[in-house]
Amino acid sequence: MSTLVEDNPAKNRFEILVDDALAGFTAYVPRGEVLVLTHTEVDPGFQGKGVASALVRGALDEIRARGGRLVPQCPFVAAFVDRHPEYADLVVEQA
């Protein structure tokens, strides 16, 4: 299974492709350098396979590479950051 996480700024979301099929996305609202991650959704056919975690990890890595920060409004993203404290430095309090 090959996966690719990429930003789709036209739709304000990070998308994960699994074997070239759109498997899920994490939506965001841009606020300058801060992205408010609002919702994560994975296609039912890909659930239970670690796709959501791979998606969020890829999105957070991309945000870090850009020097950005995030607000984990999405419960899944918030729980992911709690389980992976190496990403805690990216989190800012909601304005």
Side-chain angles (χ1 to χ4, degrees):
M1 180 170 79
S2 71
T3 61
L4 170 69
V5 175
E6 56 189 12
D7 189 9
N8 183 340
K11 292 188 175 181
N12 284 345
R13 66 188 196 179
F14 289 94
E15 299 174 339
I16 187 165
L17 302 174
V18 176
D19 297 330
D20 297 325
L22 179 62
F25 64 87
T26 295
Y28 60 79
V29 177
R31 296 214 174 114
E33 292 298 308
V34 176
L35 294 182
V36 180
L37 301 180
T38 58
H39 177 72
T40 300
E41 193 171 307
V42 172
D43 183 275
F46 293 98
Q47 291 177 358
K49 299 178 180 176
V51 171
S53 291
L55 167 60
V56 172
R57 182 180 304 279
L60 299 184
D61 287 344
E62 177 66 24
I63 292 167
R64 182 186 304 282
R66 293 182 197 165
R69 305 289 295 278
L70 66 102
V71 176
Q73 201 171 70
C74 167
F76 186 86
V77 174
F80 183 91
V81 172
D82 285 345
R83 288 191 315 271
H84 299 89
E86 65 270 24
Y87 292 107
D89 63 308
L90 296 176
V91 175
V92 296
E93 295 300 316
Q94 257 179 315

